Amino acid sequence: MQYTSFYAEYFAFRELVTPQLIKVVYIVGACFITAAGLVSILSPETLNEYDVGPILSRLGGVFLLLVGNLVWRMMCEGAILLFSLHELLVSIDTRAKGLVLRGKNS
């Protein structure tokens, strides 16, 4: 097995940084969604400009907490899935090249 440095892999775009970045973005987004849901549940008077009553505001907050976080999670998982598929295809390509090289050497 040939050793390559992280920087060589990074600058050749074989090492992807986006999956780790998506995880950080997910945490930040989930915190904002949760905070917005809690604000609309706990202080519905902040939403008076939208002409909704306190009951609808609180239900909207609960909906945002549950569905908003779930949809945000699904969106981030979908993005990570694309990168996981990329890693799997690179792995298959590497194994196939190894098998071809072994076949030529035999």
Side-chain angles (χ1 to χ4, degrees), residues 45-98:
E45 56 275 351
T46 60
L47 296 177
N48 281 341
E49 63 191 50
Y50 297 110
D51 291 330
V52 294
I55 302 281
L56 286 179
S57 175
R58 286 190 173 103
L59 288 176
V62 170
F63 184 79
L64 184 62
L65 278 174
L66 299 176
V67 177
N69 275 311
L70 180 64
V71 169
W72 179 242
R73 174 72 185 222
M74 289 168 49
M75 288 172 52
C76 291
E77 284 179 359
I80 288 177
L81 178 65
L82 292 174
F83 290 101
S84 297
L85 289 172
H86 173 267
E87 289 176 5
L88 181 62
L89 288 173
V90 168
S91 171
I92 291 170
D93 184 50
T94 304
R95 289 180 188 170
K97 285 179 184 176

Side-chain angles (χ1 to χ4, degrees), residues 2-47:
Q2 181 182 2
Y3 173 76
T4 57
S5 72
F6 169 78
Y7 295 107
E9 296 288 315
Y10 176 78
F11 288 114
F13 287 93
R14 287 187 291 266
E15 180 68 31
L16 302 176
V17 296
T18 309
Q20 290 83 14
L21 184 64
I22 291 172
K23 292 173 187 174
V24 172
V25 169
Y26 165 73
I27 292 171
V28 171
C31 289
F32 278 117
I33 291 171
T34 302
L38 289 174
V39 164
S40 77
I41 289 171
L42 299 176
S43 61
E45 56 275 351
T46 60
L47 296 177

